[in-house]
Amino acid sequence: MPIGTDIEQAAALLRQGETVAIPTETVYGLAANAFNEAAVLKIFQAKQRPSFDPLIVHVHDRAQVELLVSRLPEGTDQLMERFWPGPLTFVLPKTDRVPDLVTSGLDTVAVRMPAHPVARTLLGMLDFPLAAPSANPFGYVSPTTAQHVADQLGGKIPYILDGGPCSVGVESTIVGWGPETEQWTLYRAGGTAKELIESVIGPLQITDRGPLPVSPGMLESHYAPRKPVITGNITPLLEAHAGKRCGVISFTKHHDAAYNEVLSPAGDINEAARHLFAALRRLDASDAAVILAEVFPIEGLGSAINDRLQRASAKR
Ligand code: AMP
Ligand code: MG
């Protein structure tokens, strides 16, 4: 049985150069020793992830950041102080210690200090940081429970460390320092609201284009279920799909559809983010022909929810 709560076992496997699925507050990650290229290669194999998609390196403390990052631009300290540990990833110039496989040959590395207590305990037991992308087959919806990981990668990885359902439920926000623009840029909306980041360092530049090669968190089609997803106003969408079994993802309201996934009846956008991926997975596994999703309010984590739904709806 590959699911368990034995942190010692997870640490032992990671020290041996194996991969382990680990809980974080955002989504479950598939982790390996970031300094061991052979171990990192196993992540790419298990996920069938193309090698042009760089990984996020998870750190325990600031000393590990120093091993990975060669320069901390102005504002980095304030942002780390305010949002770490937590769902904010920094893309910064890398040191020579970071293997090319981790960064897909880019001269920057993505680093994050996760807040999940199990992830923090595990990182504290290891003397290396963990490279970890989301623990799902490339391009599919990210996992927010240990069972989600087992459903898809169960036979391919030696251990899934169960830390309960993820409390944030969408991936980290990614910011980077653009060397050309000398400005902080938002690369991916996520678990830390843009407004909060801007309250610390001022306006973020927005880009829908990553540093080259294009970073797949920004691929048009990503985070996608197998079923078609259509976003918009639910009532006209239901009329347009009359006669079909529809699955509806909404914020607060129940609709007249075969399946309803109301993400937060109380209207709490953080709760909605927490429930999004499990809802997408349930509808994907149902006999609904199509998934219809509302556009969420753009405050706070609403931007991240809309971003994921839009990519889930992009044509492959
Ligand atoms: P995930 O699969 O959620 O762990 O996301 C990893 C994502 O982080 C990648 O798909 C990229 O979008 C982004 N990323 C990681 N490293 C870099 C980097 N060096 N430059 C730009 N984006 C990066
Ligand atoms: Mg991913």
Side-chain angles (χ1 to χ4, degrees), residues 47 49 53 133-136 139-140 142 171 188 222-223:
K47 276 185 63 100
R49 185 175 175 111
D53 189 356
S134 52
N136 53 278
Y140 193 71
S142 298
E171 297 83 351
R188 175 174 77 185
H222 209 64
Y223 314 113

Side-chain angles (χ1 to χ4, degrees), residues 145-157:
T145 65
Q147 188 58 49
H148 290 165
V149 182
D151 289 346
Q152 289 184 304
L153 298 181
K156 296 186 172 166
I157 56 178

Side-chain angles (χ1 to χ4, degrees), residues 62 75-85 90 200:
R62 289 292 289 269
T76 315
D77 276 328
Q78 290 99 296
L79 288 172
M80 288 183 178
E81 190 69 26
R82 170 76 194 272
F83 297 110
W84 274 11
F90 295 83
V200 177

Side-chain angles (χ1 to χ4, degrees), residues 27 47 49 53-56 91 102-103 106 108-110 132-134 171 174 187-188 211 215-218 222-223:
V27 301
K47 276 185 63 100
R49 185 175 175 111
D53 189 356
L55 307 180
I56 295 173
V91 172
V102 171
T103 65
L106 296 171
T108 51
V109 62
S134 52
E171 297 83 351
I174 304 180
Y187 291 136
R188 175 174 77 185
S215 42
M218 301 173 180
H222 209 64
Y223 314 113

